Amino acid sequence: METQASTTMKKVLLGLNCIILAIGNCGGPLVMRLYFIRGGKRIWFSSWLETAGWPIIFIPLTIAYLHRLKTGGATTKIQFFFMKPRVFIASAAIGVLTGLDDYLYAYGVAKLPVSTSALIIATQLAFTAGFAFLLVKQKFTGYSINAIVLLTVGAVVLSLHTSGDRPEGESNKEYLLGFFLTLAAAALYGFILPLVELMYLKAKQAITYALVMEIQMVMCLFATAFCTVGMLINNDFQAISKEAKEYELGEGKYYLVVVSNAIIWQCFFLGAIGVIFYSSSLLSGIVITVLLPVTEVLAVIFYHEKFQSEKGVSLFLSLWGFISYFYGEIKLSKNKKDVAHDSNQTELTRTRDTSQTELTLTVAP
């Protein structure tokens, strides 16, 4: 019963992290896009905002610490942080890679239309699957392979008619650079997700959700530090006040967009590593990919972009792939339960037969 309750709670927390990831994955690109289309031009600043909200993690960490103080014994030593140097160094290194990925992604969002950048980012799933196989020996089922194929095809469908969405007045050089840097961002984040999972496996300490939040905070801290160097070199800090005054929506809304950007992206990163913690880097990549057409729909609603039939087909294929993956997981879980039940029944039969044999030997003349 305890095992069943633990499994149920794990599924609930996995679902919660998927929701948090969905908020960040859909809201982050839209708010970032709002920054650029209304007059924002600072790419390093935009990439900095993706992780600059890391101090927010102190709130749930403090709540968890106070809870441990309340429930722990008087003689028990309660620590605020669980992270050991090994995990800290790994988190810092991954954080620097995340900072680089933030810049590559922000450049793509600034230079490419939403549909094109969504198409390129969707290739991240293939990179995630490949690196998950190499780094953490991810096992694939027919259903997971089917999901990857469907989601990839859905992404390819988005490429149709993207030329009509190409920004006006943008040079061919800028467009191609944005394309290749976005592809590099997809490949790099496809590497980062399994790398986080590998860190969990090699941590040599118990991985709790409190530690996962600490890892998130350290990763974002070092990613922000990386982008801060870029902002200093590019003189972005001096340009913020001027850009705010010239922003199309007004100075007040400029800062609202900036703060919202930082908060929503924290949902993305926290949700991503939370899904890895409760499941796998492959599922995290699948959730990110399946939400790309949803972002397309939201872009149509809020920014009045054209919704071609290709986007509807892509949304259908993505949902189909998502359902295929979870159907496979449910079936696999059921098979494991059946195997465990059969094993218990076999052991029970053996125990009963042994008891009857011993009883027969005892009462025999």
Side-chain angles (χ1 to χ4, degrees):
M1 291 296 292
E2 290 180 358
T3 303
Q4 185 177 359
S6 176
T7 302
T8 302
M9 180 56 67
K10 182 180 178 180
K11 290 179 180 179
V12 170
L13 293 173
L14 174 60
L16 178 61
N17 277 275
C18 285
I19 293 173
I20 295 173
L21 175 57
I23 293 172
N25 194 65
C26 294
L30 291 174
V31 177
M32 181 182 286
R33 187 65 177 166
L34 179 63
Y35 166 78
F36 284 114
I37 64 178
R38 295 300 182 181
K41 298 180 178 64
R42 318 305 295 190
I43 296 175
W44 273 113
F45 179 46
S46 185
S47 60
W48 184 84
L49 288 172
E50 291 183 56
T51 52
W54 63 267
I56 296 172
I57 304 298
F58 271 113
I59 298 174
L61 282 177
T62 302
I63 294 173
Y65 173 70
L66 294 175
H67 177 73
R68 292 196 299 272
L69 281 178
K70 185 178 180 181
T71 57
T75 58
T76 305
K77 185 180 179 181
I78 306 297
Q79 295 178 316
F80 189 90
F81 292 110
F82 292 105
M83 185 178 292
K84 294 182 179 180
R86 180 186 179 92
V87 176
F88 177 83
I89 294 171
S91 301
I94 296 174
V96 173
L97 291 176
T98 302
L100 175 59
D101 185 75
D102 289 344
Y103 176 77
L104 297 175
Y105 178 74
Y107 193 98
V109 172
K111 302 298 180 181
L112 301 178
V114 174
S115 54
T116 304
S117 61
L119 160 71
I120 302 168
I121 291 298
T123 62
Q124 171 192 303
L125 180 59
F127 290 113
T128 301
F131 285 122
F133 176 77
L134 294 174
L135 296 178
V136 296
K137 310 302 179 186
Q138 174 72 49
K139 295 181 179 179
F140 295 96
T141 65
Y143 294 101
S144 60
I145 293 174
N146 182 55
I148 292 171
V149 172
L150 286 170
L151 290 168
T152 304
V153 172
V156 171
V157 170
L158 284 177
S159 66
L160 303 176
H161 296 295
T162 53
S163 58
D165 293 333
R166 183 169 174 171
E168 295 181 4
E170 187 172 291
S171 68
N172 188 52
K173 181 180 178 181
E174 285 181 322
Y175 187 86
L176 289 176
L177 184 59
F179 183 94
F180 286 112
L181 289 185
T182 306
L183 182 62
L188 181 55
Y189 203 70
F191 174 67
I192 288 173
L193 290 177
L195 198 60
V196 171
E197 186 174 359
L198 181 64
M199 177 177 60
Y200 291 165
L201 297 174
K202 303 291 185 179
K204 293 186 177 179
Q205 71 174 102
I207 302 295
T208 63
Y209 194 68
L211 180 59
V212 168
M213 289 191 290
E214 292 177 27
I215 292 171
Q216 157 74 5
M217 186 175 68
V218 172
M219 285 172 55
C220 287
L221 170 62
F222 278 85
T224 305
F226 177 88
C227 294
T228 299
V229 174
M231 287 186 67
L232 290 171
I233 295 174
N234 202 45
N235 296 321
D236 278 8
F237 286 107
Q238 296 91 323
I240 290 176
S241 59
K242 180 182 178 182
E243 187 175 75
K245 293 176 182 178
E246 297 174 353
Y247 198 62
E248 290 181 15
L249 300 179
E251 187 174 358
K253 289 186 179 180
Y254 174 85
Y255 290 109
L256 178 62
V257 169
V258 165
V259 173
S260 300
N261 209 339
I263 294 174
I264 292 175
W265 277 115
Q266 280 303 301
C267 293
F268 172 81
F269 288 110
L270 185 59
I273 66 171
V275 172
I276 295 173
F277 174 67
Y278 287 111
S279 183
S280 67
S281 56
L282 178 62
L283 177 59
S284 186
I286 285 176
V287 173
I288 291 170
T289 304
V290 79
L291 289 170
L292 290 174
V294 178
T295 305
E296 291 275 353
V297 174
L298 292 175
V300 170
I301 295 173
F302 293 109
Y303 300 145
H304 306 291
E305 294 186 357
K306 296 179 181 179
F307 188 83
Q308 295 100 336
S309 58
E310 291 80 9
K311 295 180 181 180
V313 173
S314 176
L315 178 61
F316 171 76
L317 291 174
S318 297
L319 293 175
W320 183 7
F322 195 59
I323 293 171
S324 174
Y325 176 84
F326 273 101
Y327 177 77
E329 288 297 301
I330 293 171
K331 193 170 182 178
L332 183 62
S333 177
K334 185 177 182 300
N335 290 338
K336 287 181 178 179
K337 288 181 180 179
D338 291 340
V339 170
H341 180 266
D342 292 343
S343 178
N344 291 335
Q345 289 294 326
T346 302
E347 186 65 27
L348 183 62
T349 302
R350 288 178 180 174
T351 303
R352 186 172 60 247
D353 292 343
T354 301
S355 299
Q356 289 177 349
T357 302
E358 290 175 352
L359 180 62
T360 301
L361 292 173
T362 303
V363 300

